[in-house]
Amino acid sequence: MSDTNYLLENRKVEAAQRFSALSALFNPGTLRQFDACGLATGWHCWEVGAGGAELVRIMAERVGEGGRILATDIDDSWAIEAASPHVVVQKHDVALDPPPGELFDLVHARLVLVHVPERERAFRNMISALKPGGWLLIEDADPALQPLSCIDAYGPEQERANRIRQGFRALLASRGADIAFGRRLPRMFREAGMTDLSAEAYFPVAMPECISLEIATINMIRKDLLDSGIATSDDIEGHLESVRSGTLDLSQPPMISVRGRKPQAG
């Protein structure tokens, strides 16, 4: 997937705010999944589509100096901050580039495959990079399951927020995102022969981080919203004012987390 076709490009100045908000919202669930996988000292891990540096640093602390983290992204400009003697950061396209020439105890991707048109190939590449018995953890959104910005749409501000969110989803789909992808993950794991399969879904409602995430996202896609006729300048400024006021109970789409193990050889 070319980064020039990605609606939420890392190179945009709002990316850092988005990474921070996403980490605050979803790192606790991801770390709980890591615990369930048994992430420990000495593990070798591949963080796919790393984005920012925060989760990479946490993983590096968990594996210690005897472990190794490979953090990759189509744009590594933010993750590079986490580089260290046992953290390697590389530019890499999980779908179009060959998998790394090593095997891992854990491969993790969050909010990656939903945006990758060649997601089936990316999925196979991640499995191929696992050691026998290694864990694959994929966490992806399913906006079609819960498409609303405000699930309690009791007034015009909430309705406007939902119209803008609906337009945002349409823009994502036009760039190749599958907004109903998350629900497919358990079946993909099962059909790939993964064992010890477990899946869950989580979505935040009215959390403070939802405000900063919404502001960063709207500012990031402002031109796209205007150019596509989804919203006017007045719509956008009015929505941002409502967001900053704290009167909107903003939500995010469900994050579906699925983990499974590659079967042992033989």
Side-chain angles (χ1 to χ4, degrees):
M1 179 187 68
S2 169
D3 56 350
T4 59
N5 195 47
Y6 182 35
L7 185 65
L8 302 168
E9 296 176 60
N10 289 4
R11 70 187 65 182
K12 295 182 178 178
V13 296
E14 299 87 358
Q17 185 179 350
R18 285 196 85 251
F19 290 147
S20 178
L22 288 169
S23 293
L25 288 169
F26 297 117
N27 275 5
T30 296
L31 296 178
R32 186 163 48 80
Q33 293 289 335
F34 287 168
D35 288 341
C37 294
L39 177 61
T41 301
W43 277 34
H44 286 208
C45 306
W46 180 17
E47 176 65 13
V48 179
E54 183 173 344
L55 186 60
V56 178
R57 289 194 181 105
I58 295 173
M59 295 174 73
E61 291 175 1
R62 293 280 187 97
V63 303
E65 294 183 1
R68 168 179 158 83
I69 305 295
L70 173 64
T72 64
D73 202 299
I74 56 173
D75 180 349
D76 62 359
S77 55
W78 295 100
I80 198 69
E81 298 174 9
S84 73
H86 63 292
V87 176
V88 176
V89 180
Q90 292 181 353
K91 184 173 290 188
H92 181 269
D93 188 315
V94 64
L96 302 183
D97 295 332
E102 59 183 297
L103 297 179
F104 299 92
D105 301 287
L106 169 69
V107 176
H108 173 245
R110 186 174 73 192
L111 294 175
V112 174
L113 295 190
V114 67
H115 297 291
V116 177
E118 306 86 359
R119 55 189 62 87
E120 299 281 352
R121 186 190 309 168
F123 182 71
R124 293 193 300 270
N125 285 345
M126 287 190 281
I127 291 177
S128 72
L130 283 170
K131 297 177 181 178
W135 286 94
L136 178 63
L137 170 60
I138 298 181
E139 304 180 282
D140 254 311
D142 194 317
L145 276 178
Q146 195 295 96
L148 302 178
S149 180
C150 297
I151 56 178
D152 181 20
Y154 63 89
E157 292 181 343
Q158 290 74 23
E159 292 170 357
R160 178 178 58 200
N162 287 343
R163 285 196 303 272
I164 292 175
R165 180 69 62 86
Q166 183 179 19
F168 173 39
R169 303 295 182 231
L171 288 172
L172 286 173
S174 72
R175 302 292 185 94
D178 181 353
I179 63 172
F181 174 67
R183 70 193 71 180
R184 293 173 49 202
L185 282 169
R187 174 165 53 89
M188 290 174 65
F189 273 63
R190 187 175 62 254
E191 291 177 350
M194 303 295 282
T195 65
D196 298 323
L197 184 64
S198 181
E200 66 179 40
Y202 161 79
F203 75 96
V205 179
M207 295 177 66
E209 294 82 7
C210 290
I211 294 175
S212 58
L213 179 59
E214 183 75 1
I215 292 170
T217 301
I218 294 299
N219 283 326
M220 183 176 281
I221 65 170
R222 178 191 293 264
K223 185 177 185 299
D224 300 277
L225 293 172
L226 292 170
D227 289 349
S228 62
I230 290 169
T232 66
S233 292
D234 287 344
D235 289 332
I236 294 172
E237 292 307 319
H239 174 57
L240 289 174
E241 183 178 346
S242 296
V243 171
R244 294 188 184 101
S245 73
T247 58
L248 298 180
D249 295 321
L250 296 170
S251 66
Q252 288 297 309
M255 179 76 78
I256 298 179
S257 302
V258 185
R259 67 178 186 268
R261 302 183 76 175
K262 187 173 184 176
Q264 294 283 352

